[in-house]
């Protein structure tokens, strides 16, 4: 019961931790671009919460989404493939990209019916391939009408996604967009208001501020800060927030690539050094260099990787080649910045450019210094406190139970308990005593009435062989007949009690009635019957470790039965019991029928008298017992 409660509590806590509520989400996202030729199955999706598959086109005449036949094989398997390493990863399908046809997109957003064609097909394809969201990337939009119409598209899209969610049994699709580093761009502005009300978040393309084709000075192309120019990430993020978009809708892009310049003078190789264009090594990519290539190039040339804290960028120089990029250090600083600004997370452009997952791990590692550790601590503390509380309750409960059972053992002036079975219908013969009863019986718990520790009273040295008490004190079922009948007890009374206890231990059963086929035998008699029929093993508690060593257990049973014999003289002494238990070579005699039996063994002339006694009321001074059948 207790452990079940603990497990349930643990699950509730764990579930609330794992289930991302909107406020708690921290997005670790990344793009995978089909054009790179990096196998989807090689993506370490365990490092991401979201993965974005890029890019689908828009048909120039129907305005429907179109996936090229060469891409279809990838896009249709993307979700299932990345889920093999991370079953919880959320996938999005990206539309557009830097190679998207400007005229097609501009025309598509301009008309409600074109937008509808586009939207309906986008939802259909997302569902068809198992994507959970759609990402719109129109980075060449550069007129006021483009921007306004883009806002209308987002509005229509959201309405369609909401209605589709009601139609389908699935969760509504996530809607996002890739946007410039700043809402202001070429004298026009992104539709911030529509983004705010219709999109789940935006991926802020905080890179490409400079490149080696257009700039004749080495630069930090994705500078987090720049004291001399607004072309920096901090400025762009500030502008988005300043225009009314909540920080919690901004996902910061991390470039997993750099730009390679040719230095004018190899000795002048800091940030801002004169350059003459892209380095020869990256000339065919217009100066762009992937992180994994930069690392292997720097390594094979023994180039030291520098870090500049002003711009937050790494760079290295090999001869007249200068490369500015984000290494582990810059990535950590940017993720930490995103955390501090309470952004929604980060998005990597692009996943296959990483080198042995070094940057993805660095981005994740930063996270481990943040909130989750703290949350984990809260969970651990909560669970510990709960468990401690439950343990306290358990201890309290057990103590109360013990006190109650002690109270029951305190036998008051024995009164007529003939109807005891009615008091508790489940447990026959269990007596319930009120505090007043106990108070009266013990003469207000007086010292004289204290009989020592234990139900039977003092232990005598239940040279004196027997004694007579004027009160019956003991627990029913453990009291030998001579004590119940005449108040006579001796060391053989202890032996009797020991026998009862031993029978309970080996059977794992209560010393109550209702054993045997007809449920009419008390435990002692039941044990005896089974032993007599050679079925002693049926009596044993099956969970006992050594039910396999049956002769040991049968011997135990036989010794116990010797202890509970009717006649005190027949019972062995404790010394004999001990040596019989310890020494297996000592012969154990056959026990007679136990005390309080309802049946008789043939030839036992005392039995009829005994049976009569059980049903009678015994008078012991001022005490009266009507029922001495063991419970
Ligand atoms: C564009 O859509 C039209 C009309 O549905 C179709 O005939 C054409 O093949 C599509 N073009 C491409 C490239 O899918
Ligand atoms: C939802 O169902 C309605 C009624 O069947 C239909 O008109 C509408 O086009 C559906 N919407 C989507 C997005 O499937
Ligand atoms: C950069 O330098 C090269 C060589 O000196 C020159 O041809 C080119 O015009 C310069 N570009 C810019 C943008 O200044």
């Amino acid at each position: 019961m207790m452990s079940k409660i603990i497990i349930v509590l643990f699950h509730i806590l764990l579930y609330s931790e794992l289930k991302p509520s909107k406020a708690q989400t921290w997005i670790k996202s990344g793009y995978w671009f089909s054009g790179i030729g990096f196998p989807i199955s090689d993506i370490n999706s365990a490092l991401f919460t979201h993965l974005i598959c890029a890019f689908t086109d828009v048909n120039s005449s129907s305005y429907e989404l179109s996936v090229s036949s060469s891409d279809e094989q990838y896009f249709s398997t993307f979700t299932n493939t990345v889920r093999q390493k991370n079953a919880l990863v959320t996938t999005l399908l990206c539309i557009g990209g830097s190679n998207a046809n400007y005229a097609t997109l501009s025309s598509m957003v301009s008309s409600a019916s074109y937008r509808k064609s586009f939207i309906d097909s986008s939802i259909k394809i997302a569902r068809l391939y198992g994507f959970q969201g759609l990402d719109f990337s129109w980075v060449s939009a550069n007129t006021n009408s483009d921007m306004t119409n883009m806002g209308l598209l987002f509005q229509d899209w959201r309405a369609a996604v909401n209605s589709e969610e009601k139609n389908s049994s699935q969760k509504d699709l996530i809607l996002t967009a890739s946007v410039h580093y700043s809402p202001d761009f070429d004298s026009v502005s992104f539709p911030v208001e529509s983004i705010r009300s219709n999109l789940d978040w935006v991926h802020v393309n905080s890179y490409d501020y400079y490149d080696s084709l257009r700039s004749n000075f080495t630069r930090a192309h994705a500078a987090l800060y720049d004291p001399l120019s607004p072309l920096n990430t901090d400025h762009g993020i500030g502008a988005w927030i300043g225009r009314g978009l909540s920080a919690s809708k901004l996902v910061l892009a991390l470039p997993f690539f750099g730009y390679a310049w040719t230095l004018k003078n190899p000795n002048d190789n800091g940030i801002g050094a004169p350059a003459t264009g892209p380095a020869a090594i990256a000339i065919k990519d217009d100066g762009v260099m992937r992180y994994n290539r930069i690392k292997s190039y720097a390594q094979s040339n023994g180039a030291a990787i520098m870090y500049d804290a002003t711009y937050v960028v790494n760079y290295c120089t090999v001869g007249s080649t200068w490369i500015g990029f984000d290494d582990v250090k810059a990535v950590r600083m940017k993720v930490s910045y995103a955390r501090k600004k309470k952004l929604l997370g980060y998005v990597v452009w692009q996943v296959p450019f990483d080198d042995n997952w070094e940057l993805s791990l660095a981005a994740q590692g930063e996270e481990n210094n943040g909130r989750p550790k703290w949350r984990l601590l809260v969970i651990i503390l909560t669970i510990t406190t709960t468990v401690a509380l439950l343990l306290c309750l358990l201890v309290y409960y057990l103590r109360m139970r013990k006190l109650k059972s002690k109270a029951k053992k305190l036998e008051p002036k024995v009164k007529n308990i003939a109807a005891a079975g009615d008091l508790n219908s489940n447990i026959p013969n269990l007596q319930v005593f009120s505090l007043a009863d106990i108070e009266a019986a013990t003469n207000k718990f007086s010292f004289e009435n204290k009989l020592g520790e234990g139900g039977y009273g003092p232990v005598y040295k239940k040279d004196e062989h027997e004694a007579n008490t004027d009160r019956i004190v003991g627990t029913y079922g453990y009291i030998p007949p001579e004590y119940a009948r005449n108040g006579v007890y001796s060391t053989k009374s202890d032996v009797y009690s020991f026998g009862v206890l031993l029978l309970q231990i080996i059977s794992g059963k209560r010393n109550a009635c209702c054993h045997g086929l007809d449920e009419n035998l008390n435990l002692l008699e039941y044990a005896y019957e089974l032993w007599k029929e050679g079925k002693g093993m049926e009596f044993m508690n099956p969970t006992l470790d050594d039910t396999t060593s049956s002769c040991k257990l049968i011997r135990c049973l036989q010794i116990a039965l010797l202890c509970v014999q009717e006649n005190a003289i027949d019972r062995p002494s404790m010394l004999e019991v001990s040596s019989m238990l310890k020494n297996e070579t000592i012969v154990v005699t056959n026990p007679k029928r136990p005390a309080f039996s309802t049946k008789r063994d043939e030839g036992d002339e005392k039995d009829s008298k005994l049976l009569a006694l059980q049903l009678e009321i015994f008078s012991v001074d001022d005490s009266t017992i009507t029922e001495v059948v063991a419970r």
Side-chain angles (χ1 to χ4, degrees):
M1 176 66 180
M2 201 62 64
S3 61
K4 261 188 194 167
I5 293 173
I6 292 169
I7 287 165
V8 166
L9 273 169
F10 184 78
H11 277 137
I12 290 169
L13 286 162
L14 206 67
Y15 183 70
S16 65
E17 166 67 6
L18 291 180
K19 189 181 177 243
S21 82
K22 276 205 164 134
Q24 287 174 329
T25 306
W26 175 248
I27 290 179
K28 300 179 284 184
S29 181
Y31 280 94
W32 172 88
F33 173 40
S34 61
I36 297 300
F38 184 88
I40 300 168
S41 56
D42 285 2
I43 300 173
N44 186 356
S45 39
L47 300 174
F48 301 93
T49 59
H50 295 69
L51 284 168
I52 309 167
C53 180
F55 297 101
T56 52
D57 285 327
V58 177
N59 183 309
S60 57
S61 56
S62 69
Y63 299 108
E64 290 183 338
L65 216 60
S66 83
V67 175
S68 70
S69 53
S70 59
D71 273 350
E72 194 179 1
Q73 53 175 320
Y74 304 123
F75 289 17
S76 60
T77 58
F78 184 85
T79 300
N80 280 340
T81 310
V82 296
R83 289 239 171 108
Q84 309 210 328
K85 282 182 193 146
N86 177 3
L88 294 174
V89 77
T90 298
T91 57
L92 286 83
L93 181 63
C94 185
I95 301 150
S98 51
N99 294 328
N101 186 304
Y102 168 81
T104 302
L105 290 179
S106 184
S107 172
M108 182 271 284
V109 294
S110 68
S111 139
S113 67
Y114 297 166
R115 289 196 297 267
K116 185 170 172 11
S117 299
F118 167 81
I119 288 167
D120 289 351
S121 69
S122 75
I123 294 174
K124 209 176 94 190
I125 286 180
R127 290 303 191 200
L128 180 68
Y129 295 152
F131 288 98
Q132 292 142 292
L134 290 158
D135 181 49
F136 189 65
S137 176
W138 187 16
V139 287
S140 54
N142 63 355
T143 67
N144 272 321
S145 60
D146 281 347
M147 292 302 190
T148 307
N149 293 338
M150 202 197 294
L152 293 176
L153 173 77
F154 295 157
Q155 199 178 310
D156 295 354
W157 216 349
R158 171 56 63 193
V161 159
N162 284 349
S163 107
E164 192 263 352
E165 186 234 351
K166 285 193 194 88
N167 281 12
S168 79
S169 55
Q170 285 162 296
K171 207 171 169 290
D172 57 335
L173 291 166
I174 295 167
L175 284 186
T176 64
S178 284
V179 295
H180 280 278
Y181 88 105
S182 157
D184 305 304
F185 164 67
D186 280 2
S187 80
V188 298
S189 286
F190 271 85
V192 178
E193 184 49 40
S194 177
I195 288 173
R196 200 180 59 77
S197 35
N198 299 308
L199 297 187
D200 288 285
W201 66 79
V202 288
H203 300 117
V204 181
N205 291 344
S206 31
Y207 45 68
D208 285 345
Y209 306 144
Y210 305 94
D211 62 58
S212 46
L213 267 183
R214 290 175 298 161
S215 170
N216 266 355
F217 296 95
T218 61
R219 295 286 184 189
H221 83 92
L224 182 56
Y225 305 106
D226 190 333
L228 307 171
S229 152
L231 280 173
N232 67 79
T233 300
D234 182 51
H235 175 85
I237 293 292
W240 277 108
I241 294 169
R243 292 286 292 282
L245 195 62
S246 149
S248 67
K249 286 217 168 187
L250 300 171
V251 170
L252 184 68
L254 301 174
F256 281 12
F257 64 92
Y259 281 99
W261 273 265
T262 300
L263 291 169
K264 218 170 194 169
N265 175 2
N267 296 322
D268 186 0
N269 54 18
I271 294 169
T276 58
I281 183 173
I283 198 96
K284 68 173 168 48
D285 291 319
D286 292 341
V288 173
M289 234 176 138
R290 304 171 188 186
Y291 176 68
N292 48 27
R293 294 200 184 148
I294 296 169
K295 285 298 274 197
S296 65
Y297 179 73
Q299 242 158 30
S300 59
N301 288 286
I305 290 169
M306 316 299 281
Y307 172 72
D308 184 288
T310 306
Y311 299 92
V312 181
V313 69
N314 291 94
Y315 61 92
C316 68
T317 312
V318 176
S320 61
T321 297
W322 188 95
I323 311 163
F325 64 104
D326 284 2
D327 204 342
V328 166
K329 177 82 176 168
V331 163
R332 285 214 178 105
M333 294 306 286
K334 286 184 176 180
V335 174
S336 150
Y337 168 89
R339 286 247 180 234
K340 258 183 257 157
K341 289 277 176 180
K342 296 191 164 37
L343 307 189
L344 186 60
Y346 60 83
V347 59
V348 164
W349 179 267
Q350 50 173 293
V351 172
F353 290 175
D354 204 349
D355 182 40
N356 236 341
W357 307 110
E358 207 178 338
L359 294 185
S360 306
L361 283 165
Q364 258 218 338
E366 196 285 330
E367 181 200 39
N368 290 340
N369 300 326
R371 196 169 40 172
K373 242 186 197 171
W374 180 80
R375 270 156 62 184
L376 195 69
L377 193 72
V378 169
I379 286 177
I380 289 170
L381 280 177
T382 313
I383 289 173
T384 314
T385 313
T386 311
V387 169
L389 204 74
L390 288 171
L391 281 178
C392 286
L393 281 172
L394 182 69
V395 168
Y396 175 76
Y397 167 76
L398 289 177
R399 274 185 83 107
M400 289 309 286
R401 221 170 63 158
K402 207 175 160 188
L403 282 176
K404 266 190 192 167
S405 77
K406 258 192 184 170
K408 277 178 196 155
K409 279 183 189 171
L410 283 173
E411 174 59 15
K413 293 175 181 179
V414 182
K415 51 183 183 177
N416 190 328
I417 53 166
D422 297 337
L423 286 174
N424 189 321
S425 54
N426 289 331
I427 308 161
N429 310 328
L430 264 193
Q431 254 294 35
V432 178
F433 298 107
S434 69
L435 183 64
D437 283 346
I438 298 165
E439 229 175 34
T442 60
N443 195 11
K444 296 191 175 167
F445 304 101
S446 78
F447 185 74
E448 294 99 280
N449 280 13
K450 186 180 171 184
L451 294 171
E453 307 298 320
Y456 290 90
V459 177
Y460 283 72
K461 273 187 181 173
K462 187 95 115 149
D463 30 319
E464 235 179 320
H465 291 295
E466 55 180 55
N468 196 307
T469 55
D470 56 359
R471 284 186 185 196
I472 305 293
V473 179
T475 310
Y476 279 111
Y478 300 94
I479 310 172
E482 71 276 9
Y483 181 52
R485 197 185 308 143
N486 303 320
V488 172
Y489 71 85
S490 63
T491 53
K492 293 296 181 72
S493 306
D494 288 335
V495 172
Y496 178 89
S497 313
F498 175 80
V500 175
L501 201 63
L502 192 56
L503 288 173
Q504 285 189 289
I505 289 169
I506 60 177
S507 66
K509 290 188 172 73
R510 297 167 59 95
N511 183 14
C513 71
C514 318
H515 295 286
L517 274 180
D518 300 327
E519 303 199 331
N520 60 344
L521 303 175
N522 66 49
L523 190 72
L524 275 50
E525 207 176 359
Y526 177 55
Y528 179 75
E529 291 290 336
L530 287 174
W531 172 80
K532 217 175 67 175
E533 291 164 28
K535 295 185 202 159
M537 282 313 286
E538 283 179 27
F539 183 71
M540 304 303 168
N541 180 353
T543 63
L544 279 179
D545 280 350
D546 43 5
T547 38
T548 46
S549 49
S550 59
C551 55
K552 257 190 204 168
L553 286 169
I554 295 295
R555 192 182 168 83
C556 241
L557 173 64
Q558 200 171 334
I559 295 166
L561 285 169
L562 284 175
C563 297
V564 296
Q565 293 175 102
E566 165 72 25
N567 250 327
I569 304 152
D570 292 339
R571 295 174 209 150
S573 70
M574 274 322 284
L575 198 67
E576 286 169 317
V577 168
S578 164
S579 63
M580 281 190 284
L581 285 171
K582 270 194 232 155
N583 192 342
E584 285 177 31
T585 60
I586 293 181
V587 178
V588 180
T589 54
N590 283 353
K592 291 181 186 162
R593 189 164 277 277
F596 304 119
S597 288
T598 52
K599 288 188 190 170
R600 277 175 283 173
D601 276 337
E602 277 142 48
D604 193 340
E605 72 287 351
K606 273 185 284 181
D607 280 358
S608 56
K609 210 168 99 196
L610 258 170
L611 190 62
L613 277 173
Q614 285 170 37
L615 306 168
E616 249 175 53
I617 296 172
F618 301 131
S619 285
V620 183
D621 297 339
D622 60 338
S623 313
T624 306
I625 299 176
T626 54
E627 182 157 330
V628 288
V629 175
R631 72 173 160 89

